[in-house]
């Protein structure tokens, strides 16, 4: 007769990829933006495929989903940051010649002294 261990867990072990995904998602929002975010998205999708293919023997779907979401949030914040940088620093240099052209044509003469 075989004895069963009363302390044996019926919860499947977590996928290693889902743990990597969650850690990279957190790192992508804090210490290593960009690189870790992309890694979180890639490993999260790999973990989801692994979990679906396992037939219930591997868990960690929640961690993989959270890691993917954190990765996409970090990518979105990076895109917003690049747009803000362009608006603050690049567009004035692009639009400055246009302002001088408008001033020379008399379009800005009613605004007051320019420059």
């Amino acid at each position: 007769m075989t004895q069963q261990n009363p302390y044996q867990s019926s919860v499947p072990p977590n996928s290693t990829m889902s743990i990597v995904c969650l850690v990279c998602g957190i790192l992508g929002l804090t210490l290593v933006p960009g690189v870790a975010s992309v890694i979180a998205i890639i490993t999260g999708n790999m973990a989801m495929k692994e979990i679906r293919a396992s037939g219930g023997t591997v868990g960690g779907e929640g961690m993989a989903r959270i890691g993917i979401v954190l990765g996409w949030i970090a990518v979105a914040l990076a895109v917003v940051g690049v747009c803000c940088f362009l608006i603050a620093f690049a567009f004035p240099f692009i639009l400055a010649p246009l302002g001088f052209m408008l001033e020379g044509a008399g379009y800005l003469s009613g605004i007051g002294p320019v420059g």
Side-chain angles (χ1 to χ4, degrees), residues 44-108:
N45 288 319
M46 291 170 60
M48 294 297 277
K49 287 179 187 176
E50 177 186 3
I51 292 166
R52 285 187 198 117
S54 72
T57 60
V58 177
E61 185 176 356
M63 287 192 293
R65 283 186 183 169
I66 291 171
I68 292 171
V69 169
L70 290 176
W72 280 114
I73 289 172
V75 167
L77 288 174
V79 168
V80 168
V82 168
C83 290
C84 289
F85 176 81
L86 289 176
I87 290 170
F89 295 108
F91 286 156
F93 293 112
I94 294 170
L95 297 178
L98 179 63
F100 291 123
M101 288 188 289
L102 293 175
E103 179 185 351
Y107 291 117
L108 298 177

Side-chain angles (χ1 to χ4, degrees), residues 11-19 58-61 63:
V11 178
N14 290 326
S15 167
T16 305
M17 289 298 224
S18 65
I19 297 169
V58 177
E61 185 176 356
M63 287 192 293

